[in-house]
């Protein structure tokens, strides 16, 4: 075995440990009885620690150096680049800090739940202060060129910089705020019929039909239900999703299935040669989210999609939907309404929720504001961005678990993903002139093949920025997304923009 093969063999074992942990997590969220909580937390900690220790071992560093002369092909070169970056980052964070963060997160998550029950931010504030202080320490350990937030962003969106996010978001914000204001003044379409009682078995059956049609491979995946829908991969040949069915909302389960399947299609579409290596993953959270959003919004909330699927949905729910026209249904699933809760937001207002979180995170990490300033800052920004004000902190600053989980720098990837999805879909439409007609027949074969060829297969071999530049011909910008919403919602609402 040469040094490259020896390196790959060690990396393979690290990957196995991580995938075993992911399987335990999947089980915890889907099938595990509540009694399993304590043992599962211990088992996960053991596996994750083992994986981390094996990966940061000095021998990996030595093999990385030695392997440079034994790389078999271009894929091997890409592998060394990615592993070198991961290795340097992982070794920069001292063990003590990793441990302190894990402990702080454990306490903060519990405090966040208590704070939500009591509707009292003060219960969480001290824990959040600790999380922020540790993240600042982590950013300093990792290092950065311009801005401390860069070090944290790098974890989720490699290669992206705070200044670039700021520029993208401010061009988005400048057009989006007036557009949302204008839409909010229009009469909203009726959507009450979406919220009748809908049998969950019918919803499940319809969702499975949709997943089959878009090309989700059930020989290499499965769908289950969980409280918070997610997708997870144990191998390129085993990529699972979950959904959540609401007996009083016929579309929430469908859009959640489409979203998670979009993530899963990305991972099922990786080049099989990347199996069991660090390259077998989405290249960034933004790129991952672009795939989920493309299937959820550009496809799932489009008129051609429902031209095919609406009659099928009506067949499952004749008493609720037989008197509702396709047009009325299409308008209802695209209803825009500024609201306080991010996860319930429509595709137009959603990004404003992210812009707000990005601004606050940046100020927290730059120590311009403290955790205790958050409720006031949050509510002021909600008013400025969306024209609504949460009536309490549960609907405001306490709504997301991300900060309690220690994840700072994660939120901007949601909007980056939305912007990428529109830029990618615009190119797909140009490359596939029949795309709308195929969608209206329920045939997504060409679209999926196009996404696989240009994006999915590469995994982490190319950065998100490189893929965007190579296959859309442009650097990432807010313009395609703004054009997409302007065109779509200009038809649905009497607006000028
Ligand atoms: Zn997602």
């Amino acid at each position: 075995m040469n040094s490259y093969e020896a390196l790959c063999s060690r990396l393979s074992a690290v990957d196995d440990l991580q995938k075993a942990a992911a399987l335990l997590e999947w089980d915890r969220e889907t099938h595990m009885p509540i009694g399993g909580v304590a043992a599962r937390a211990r088992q996960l900690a053991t596996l994750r620690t083992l994986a981390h220790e094996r990966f940061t071992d000095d021998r990996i560093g030595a093999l990385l150096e030695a392997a440079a002369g034994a790389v078999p092909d271009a894929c091997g070169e890409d592998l060394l680049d990615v592993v070198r970056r991961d290795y340097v980052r992982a070794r920069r964070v001292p063990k003590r800090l990793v441990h302190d963060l894990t402990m702080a997160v454990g306490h903060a998550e519990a405090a966040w739940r208590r704070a939500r029950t009591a509707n009292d931010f003060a219960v969480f504030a001290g824990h959040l202060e600790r999380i922020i202080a540790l993240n600042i320490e982590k950013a300093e350990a990792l290092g950065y060129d311009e801005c401390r937030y860069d070090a944290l962003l790098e974890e989720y969106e490699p290669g992206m910089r705070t200044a670039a996010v700021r520029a993208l978001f401010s061009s988005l914000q400048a057009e989006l705020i007036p557009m949302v204001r204008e839409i909010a003044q229009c009469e909203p379409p009726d959507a009450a019929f979406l919220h009748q009682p809908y049998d969950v078995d019918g919803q499940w059956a319809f969702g499975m039909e949709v997943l089959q049609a878009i090309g989700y491979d059930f020989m290499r995946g499965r769908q289950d239900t969980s409280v918070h829908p997610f997708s997870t991969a144990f191998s390129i040949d085993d990529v699972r999703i979950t959904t959540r069915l609401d007996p009083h909302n016929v579309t929430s389960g469908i859009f959640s299935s489409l979203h998670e399947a979009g993530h899963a299609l990305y991972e099922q579409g990786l080049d099989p040669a990347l199996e069991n290596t660090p390259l077998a993953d989405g290249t960034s959270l933004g790129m991952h989210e672009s795939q989920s959003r493309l299937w959820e919004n550009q496809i799932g909330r489009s008129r051609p999609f429902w031209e095919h699927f609406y009659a099928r949905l009506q067949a499952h729910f004749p008493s609720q939907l037989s008197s509702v026209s396709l047009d009325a249904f299409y308008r209802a699933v695209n209803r825009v309404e500024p609201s306080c809760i991010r996860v319930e937001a429509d595709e137009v207002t959603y990004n404003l929720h992210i812009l707000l979180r990005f601004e606050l995170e940046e100020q927290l990490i730059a120590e311009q504001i403290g955790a205790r300033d958050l409720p006031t800052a949050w509510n002021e920004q909600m008013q400025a961005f969306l024209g609504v004000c949460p009536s309490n902190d549960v609907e405001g600053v306490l709504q997301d678990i991300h900060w309690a989980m220690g994840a700072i720098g994660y939120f901007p990837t949601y909007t980056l993903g939305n912007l990428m999805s529109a830029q990618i879909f615009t190119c797909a439409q140009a490359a596939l002139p029949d795309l709308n007609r195929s969608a209206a027949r329920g045939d997504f074969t060409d679209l999926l093949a196009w996404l696989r060829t240009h994006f999915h297969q590469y995994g982490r071999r190319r950065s998100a920025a490189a893929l965007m530049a190579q296959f859309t011909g442009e650097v990432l910008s807010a313009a395609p997304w703004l054009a997409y919403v302007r065109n779509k919602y200009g038809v649905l609402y009497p607006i000028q923009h």
Side-chain angles (χ1 to χ4, degrees):
M1 198 165 16
N2 68 30
S3 49
Y4 178 81
E5 289 158 352
L7 175 68
C8 288
S9 152
R10 279 175 181 272
L11 293 172
S12 154
V14 172
D15 187 56
D16 289 342
L17 288 167
Q18 276 161 348
K19 296 293 159 58
L23 179 58
L24 291 185
E25 279 169 345
W26 171 85
D27 174 72
R28 183 187 62 197
E29 302 303 318
T30 52
H31 298 294
M32 190 186 81
I34 186 76
V37 166
R40 188 54 49 90
R42 188 191 64 239
Q43 291 152 356
L44 277 165
T46 300
L47 285 176
R48 296 280 186 210
T49 306
L50 266 176
H52 183 77
E53 282 171 3
R54 282 199 166 217
F55 182 64
T56 51
D57 192 295
D58 291 340
R59 277 170 294 184
I60 294 272
L63 283 170
L64 266 170
E65 277 183 33
V71 180
D73 53 19
C75 189
E77 297 286 357
D78 295 337
L79 180 106
L80 284 198
D81 283 347
V82 163
V83 175
R84 233 177 255 129
R85 269 203 325 263
D86 289 352
Y87 182 73
V88 167
R89 260 184 86 81
R91 299 249 303 187
R92 275 187 187 159
V93 184
K95 264 203 181 117
R96 196 253 329 138
L97 183 51
V98 174
H99 175 261
D100 288 356
L101 256 167
T102 310
M103 295 300 287
V105 164
H107 293 303
E109 282 187 19
W112 174 75
R113 285 177 219 284
R114 287 199 306 276
R116 280 176 60 85
T117 308
N119 187 21
D120 184 2
F121 178 75
V123 173
F124 179 53
H127 295 273
L128 185 53
E129 275 173 352
R130 174 92 176 128
I131 295 270
I132 292 159
L134 290 169
N135 263 284
I136 290 172
E137 212 184 311
K138 184 174 151 191
E140 292 299 328
L142 287 166
Y144 50 87
D145 291 331
E146 274 173 39
C147 161
R148 196 190 265 162
Y149 191 83
D150 284 343
L152 303 176
L153 185 60
E154 179 72 14
E155 179 128 347
Y156 308 102
E157 199 62 27
M160 183 53 84
R161 293 291 172 263
T162 311
V165 174
R166 213 182 287 132
L168 278 166
F169 285 11
S170 63
S171 64
L172 180 63
Q173 181 181 332
E175 281 206 45
L176 190 51
I177 290 179
M179 195 193 298
V180 166
R181 212 165 279 159
E182 211 181 337
I183 291 178
Q185 281 161 5
C186 303
E187 181 69 30
D190 176 25
F193 55 83
L194 297 178
H195 304 281
Q196 308 169 70
Y198 284 93
D199 172 48
V200 290
D201 293 339
Q203 291 190 44
W204 176 266
F206 177 74
M208 294 294 270
E209 281 176 39
V210 171
L211 292 175
Q212 294 274 7
I214 64 170
Y216 177 71
D217 184 351
F218 280 95
M219 294 300 287
R220 300 191 295 136
R222 55 176 285 133
Q223 180 174 247
D224 292 84
T225 56
S226 66
V227 177
H228 301 288
F230 64 99
S231 77
T232 182
F234 314 128
S235 150
I236 296 170
D237 293 321
D238 186 356
V239 187
R240 304 188 192 182
I241 60 174
T242 69
T243 192
R244 177 178 50 192
L245 301 171
D246 179 343
H248 297 283
N249 183 339
V250 70
T251 52
S252 86
I254 297 163
F255 290 125
S256 130
S257 283
L258 275 166
H259 182 97
E260 299 310 331
H263 284 301
L265 287 173
Y266 186 7
E267 304 230 3
Q268 286 186 337
L270 296 170
D271 178 353
L274 308 184
E275 176 68 19
N276 197 218
T277 74
L279 297 176
D281 200 352
T283 190
S284 73
L285 285 194
M287 183 56 77
H288 233 304
E289 193 69 4
S290 78
Q291 299 308 295
S292 61
R293 287 303 211 168
L294 188 150
W295 289 99
E296 177 192 355
N297 290 334
Q298 269 90 1
I299 293 294
R301 286 190 168 84
S302 74
R303 175 115 194 164
F305 178 87
W306 288 107
E307 279 170 22
H308 176 74
F309 281 109
Y310 187 52
R312 281 159 178 79
L313 186 65
Q314 282 176 311
H316 282 287
F317 300 106
S319 65
Q320 294 94 328
L321 294 174
S322 57
S323 63
V324 177
S325 70
L326 168 61
D327 194 56
F329 182 82
Y330 173 63
R331 283 174 184 273
V333 300
N334 287 296
R335 180 181 159 120
V336 176
E337 203 170 24
S339 67
C340 293
I341 308 289
R342 175 183 65 87
V343 294
E344 290 166 12
D346 55 81
E347 65 174 328
V348 180
T349 58
Y350 186 91
N351 289 315
L352 293 174
H353 291 266
I354 300 304
L355 268 46
L356 172 153
R357 286 155 178 76
F358 169 67
E359 274 195 18
L360 295 178
E361 280 190 348
E362 235 198 312
Q363 292 171 29
L364 287 167
I365 295 303
E367 294 172 276
Q368 289 160 351
I369 60 170
R372 288 173 204 278
D373 303 320
L374 276 177
T376 309
W378 184 285
N379 294 352
E380 281 172 8
Q381 286 284 54
M382 281 300 284
Q383 192 65 52
F385 280 2
L386 284 146
V388 292
C389 189
S391 54
N392 57 55
D393 289 337
V394 175
E395 286 177 14
V397 66
L398 287 173
Q399 67 182 272
D400 299 307
I401 198 173
H402 299 58
W403 292 340
M405 287 170 58
I408 296 181
Y410 186 122
F411 277 123
T413 69
Y414 289 119
T415 286
L416 294 172
N418 284 328
L419 301 184
M420 286 182 208
S421 76
Q423 194 162 323
I424 291 170
F425 194 67
T426 306
C427 280
Q429 285 178 309
L432 307 168
D434 276 334
L435 204 157
N436 279 349
R437 277 186 293 276
S438 305
R441 290 195 309 271
D443 178 0
F444 302 94
T445 321
D446 291 345
L447 174 61
L448 183 56
W450 187 88
L451 291 169
R452 295 239 146 120
T453 309
H454 297 94
F455 294 91
H456 298 176
Q457 61 160 325
Y458 293 99
R460 296 180 71 199
R461 289 191 66 185
R462 301 275 179 281
S463 69
L467 289 173
M468 292 306 286
Q470 187 175 353
F471 297 114
T472 74
E474 312 262 353
V475 296
L476 181 60
S477 104
W481 187 85
L482 283 165
Y484 158 73
V485 290
R486 225 182 283 119
N487 289 336
K488 179 172 173 182
Y489 291 91
V491 175
L492 292 165
Y493 287 90
I495 55 168
Q496 303 299 311
H497 290 276

